[in-house]
Amino acid sequence: MTEGAGASLPRASSATTIFRGPFLSPASRPSSVWTPPAPPFSISGSRNGSSTALPLPVQKKTIPSTRLREKLTPQDKPWLARKKSALERASKWITFGGVFLGFAISALIAFRGYNDVRMLTSSQLCLVFDDEFNEGSLDTSTWTMDVELGGYGNGEFEMTTNSANNVYISNGELYIMPTLTSDSISGGYGAVMDGATYTLDGCTASGGITTSSNSTTTSNSTTSSGPSSNPCTAVSSASAGTVINPVMSGRINTQGKKSIKYGKVEVRAKLPQGDWLWPAIWMLPVGNSSTNGSVAQGAGFYGAWPVSGEIDIMEARGNSPSYPAQGSNYVRSTLNYGPFASGTTPIATTTGNTMANLMNSIYGWISTKRSSYADSFHIYAMEWTGSWMRFYTDNRLQAMVDISSISSKNSDSYFWNVANFPSVAMNLTSGKYIVVEDPWSTAYGATAAAPFDQGMFSSFYLVIDLAAGGTSGWFPDNVGNKPWLDGSATAMRDFASAQSTWSATWPSNADDRAFRIDYVKMWQLC
């Protein structure tokens, strides 16, 4: 094929290539290679002799009003020359004065509010004890273990032991650990439910039978005196509806060793998780036994419980936050007291309600919405004087109960007046009406704070425990799939029968299941 005889590729010089800026409007596209638009000005003296820069903003001139032909003169503003009246001059100062007065009043209200918050300072307090649990064992100069299975007056379903499985110290913390009785006794769960007798080692309950070691024996008895008659021994019988307490736990107190009348108590603790667990930090008057489940309590200054009062610094439930009757995301404080000793006089009030005794409770609580008090450590504290009391969590702003002024205008005590007890009640034993009188009257030498003053020679000691279940109403009937009824004669057996359900909610990790105490501090008002 000869040159030019057929199709040929164009020579480089026979075609022109045009590069277009695709982001420019057609009218501004160059016919050759695109170059950026020139800046409005350049600055000389740079490294390369010249450089470009973004334009500086240009201040716009004020556009004159199109409705004014020329600038106004003073003559056009006669009000400027007019002398202000006294009222007009005063109005400015009144306005500024009102603003200043508002700030002053606000500051005064804030100051008085701050000043009215009662608090105990370090100079007012004398340390009674400070236990950081840094030793390998419980300090017996401060603490005593309660060992019994009588229910402690609340029909509780646990037995409290002196076993290292239930009360021990680890990593500078006190652990009160709930365990299953079926894991510890001979015969296991079957023995808990039927055919066995269990005697608790080292039982401390009055009237109980103590032994040198825990013992479980088989029994064919169909009846049992039960924990109500012997708080050291339990008998399981399917026909009698009795069981051996299905939970083992712990309880300690400072009775006879450390106590205060007025002062402060502070405990840093992490609450346990698990259905029907009941952790508590509370106080009883010296003379009232802490093991009162099956025998009469000792008398406090004003009489047996609840006449001499009870101070609950913190109580909670181990059930999850979804529990309808306040689960582990709530903590509560209570003052309990009444004019008659428990169990001595069955009482019917004028409204017809039958009670074991008349009792009033002043209580309050605080909650957390995003977690629970079982997730981490918190401080639970009480400050107590003859004229005010405060219970709080973590800081004074989170008060559960705050009684800011304890006073009485007559001979009746403050707590008698706020209780509104009936004037008469019926003794169900005799069928006769009796007059309900104030046992804490100042006419008898008490103060307005009675029974929480305990006279001149008495005081309150501390109790820390972890209970399980009970028939006192702390866990309301028919709420949260509760497996027993408080009024049932087989309440503990019904609880034990549901062991596979509630024990499944108890964490296997000891750090989450146990009631863990970081420290306990007690001060006496100096």
Side-chain angles (χ1 to χ4, degrees), residues 386-472:
S387 57
W388 58 272
M389 299 180 79
R390 180 186 297 109
F391 301 78
Y392 58 90
T393 300
D394 292 328
N395 61 70
R396 292 183 177 94
L397 296 179
Q398 300 189 80
M400 294 175 282
V401 173
D402 190 355
I403 303 175
S404 59
S405 179
I406 298 174
S407 61
S408 185
K409 296 181 180 180
N410 50 40
S411 61
D412 291 334
S413 75
Y414 169 86
F415 291 100
W416 169 266
N417 288 334
V418 300
N420 293 317
F421 290 118
S423 58
V424 294
M426 178 182 285
N427 184 327
L428 296 183
T429 302
S430 65
K432 296 180 179 180
Y433 283 99
I434 56 176
V435 177
V436 181
E437 295 181 314
D438 179 8
W440 316 292
S441 172
T442 56
Y444 305 145
T447 70
F452 302 105
D453 62 351
Q454 288 304 292
M456 184 179 298
F457 304 106
S458 191
S459 54
F460 280 73
Y461 63 92
L462 188 65
V463 183
I464 300 177
D465 74 283
L466 177 56
T471 57
S472 66

Side-chain angles (χ1 to χ4, degrees), residues 236-276:
S236 60
S237 170
S239 58
T242 61
V243 293
I244 297 172
N245 304 47
V247 175
M248 292 181 170
S249 188
R251 176 177 172 130
I252 60 174
N253 72 79
T254 65
Q255 185 179 21
K257 298 177 179 180
K258 308 290 182 181
S259 61
I260 59 171
K261 171 191 171 182
Y262 307 145
K264 179 179 179 179
V265 175
E266 181 176 298
V267 179
R268 186 174 185 266
K270 180 181 180 296
L271 304 190
Q273 295 179 18
D275 285 358
W276 319 121

Side-chain angles (χ1 to χ4, degrees), residues 314-522:
M314 187 285 301
E315 290 182 288
R317 301 173 181 89
N319 301 60
S320 70
S322 62
Y323 177 64
Q326 299 184 348
S328 59
N329 55 329
Y330 281 82
V331 289
R332 179 168 172 159
S333 296
T334 310
L335 292 171
N336 295 310
Y337 59 99
F340 297 109
S342 176
T344 58
T345 306
I347 292 295
T349 67
T350 53
T351 59
N353 295 323
T354 301
M355 310 179 190
N357 55 278
L358 293 177
M359 190 172 74
N360 187 54
S361 296
I362 299 175
Y363 59 87
W365 61 75
I366 194 168
S367 64
T368 177
K369 295 183 178 180
R370 298 183 180 180
S371 60
S372 82
Y373 291 98
D375 291 339
S376 59
F377 281 88
H378 294 270
I379 292 173
Y380 304 100
M382 174 198 66
E383 294 178 317
W384 169 34
T385 74
S387 57
W388 58 272
M389 299 180 79
R390 180 186 297 109
F391 301 78
Y392 58 90
T393 300
D394 292 328
N395 61 70
R396 292 183 177 94
L397 296 179
Q398 300 189 80
M400 294 175 282
V401 173
D402 190 355
I403 303 175
S404 59
S405 179
I406 298 174
S407 61
S408 185
K409 296 181 180 180
N410 50 40
S411 61
D412 291 334
S413 75
Y414 169 86
F415 291 100
W416 169 266
N417 288 334
V418 300
N420 293 317
F421 290 118
S423 58
V424 294
M426 178 182 285
N427 184 327
L428 296 183
T429 302
S430 65
K432 296 180 179 180
Y433 283 99
I434 56 176
V435 177
V436 181
E437 295 181 314
D438 179 8
W440 316 292
S441 172
T442 56
Y444 305 145
T447 70
F452 302 105
D453 62 351
Q454 288 304 292
M456 184 179 298
F457 304 106
S458 191
S459 54
F460 280 73
Y461 63 92
L462 188 65
V463 183
I464 300 177
D465 74 283
L466 177 56
T471 57
S472 66
W474 180 246
F475 297 101
D477 286 345
N478 303 311
V479 175
N481 298 316
K482 178 181 172 182
W484 76 95
L485 295 174
D486 288 349
S488 172
T490 59
M492 190 187 299
R493 185 174 187 86
D494 296 337
F495 175 76
S497 297
Q499 177 172 307
S500 61
T501 301
W502 49 258
S503 65
T505 69
W506 293 12
S508 57
N509 185 349
D511 288 347
D512 293 326
R513 183 194 291 193
F515 186 14
R516 294 163 58 191
I517 316 297
D518 181 32
Y519 65 74
V520 180
K521 299 179 182 181
M522 179 186 286

Side-chain angles (χ1 to χ4, degrees), residues 23-274:
F23 47 87
L24 297 177
S25 62
S28 61
R29 289 177 181 172
S31 58
S32 61
V33 178
W34 177 86
T35 57
F41 58 88
S42 63
I43 301 174
S44 60
S46 66
R47 181 182 300 173
N48 297 320
S50 65
S51 66
T52 60
L54 295 175
L56 295 172
V58 179
Q59 186 175 3
K60 295 182 179 180
K61 294 182 179 180
T62 304
I63 301 176
S65 173
T66 57
R67 295 185 178 275
L68 296 175
R69 295 183 179 180
E70 57 185 11
K71 188 177 181 180
L72 294 177
T73 64
Q75 288 74 20
D76 296 322
K77 304 176 183 178
W79 61 85
L80 296 177
R82 184 176 62 84
K83 188 176 181 181
K84 293 183 180 180
S85 66
L87 182 60
E88 289 176 317
R89 291 195 302 271
S91 65
K92 180 178 73 172
W93 294 107
I94 291 174
T95 301
F96 285 116
V99 172
F100 175 79
L101 183 61
F103 278 116
I105 293 175
S106 299
L108 179 62
I109 292 174
F111 174 76
R112 292 188 62 179
Y114 175 81
N115 231 26
D116 288 343
V117 174
R118 308 285 186 95
M119 62 179 67
L120 294 176
T121 63
S122 57
S123 62
Q124 296 175 279
L125 297 170
C126 295
L127 185 66
V128 175
F129 77 89
D130 177 0
D131 196 340
E132 306 278 348
F133 301 107
N134 291 324
E135 302 298 327
S137 59
L138 204 62
D139 182 0
T140 55
S141 67
T142 299
W143 303 102
T144 298
M145 287 187 181
D146 286 331
V147 181
E148 74 154 85
L149 45 71
Y152 294 103
N154 296 311
E156 298 166 17
F157 302 149
E158 86 287 350
M159 66 176 81
T160 55
T161 79
N162 55 11
S163 169
N165 293 328
N166 301 119
V167 181
Y168 60 91
I169 291 174
S170 177
N171 298 321
E173 297 171 8
L174 171 67
Y175 283 64
I176 302 181
M177 172 69 72
T179 60
L180 299 178
T181 302
S182 57
D183 292 339
S184 299
I185 68 172
S186 174
Y189 183 71
V192 169
M193 300 301 292
D194 187 39
T197 299
Y198 181 82
T199 303
L200 186 60
D201 175 30
C203 185
T204 58
S206 300
I209 302 172
T210 61
T211 63
S212 59
S213 62
N214 294 321
S215 62
T216 307
T217 59
T218 58
S219 170
N220 295 320
S221 173
T222 58
T223 61
S224 169
S225 59
S228 60
S229 59
N230 188 349
C232 297
T233 300
V235 177
S236 60
S237 170
S239 58
T242 61
V243 293
I244 297 172
N245 304 47
V247 175
M248 292 181 170
S249 188
R251 176 177 172 130
I252 60 174
N253 72 79
T254 65
Q255 185 179 21
K257 298 177 179 180
K258 308 290 182 181
S259 61
I260 59 171
K261 171 191 171 182
Y262 307 145
K264 179 179 179 179
V265 175
E266 181 176 298
V267 179
R268 186 174 185 266
K270 180 181 180 296
L271 304 190
Q273 295 179 18

Side-chain angles (χ1 to χ4, degrees), residues 5-27:
S8 62
L9 294 173
R11 299 179 183 274
S13 60
S14 64
T16 302
T17 303
I18 299 175
F19 297 90
R20 292 183 177 177
F23 47 87
L24 297 177
S25 62

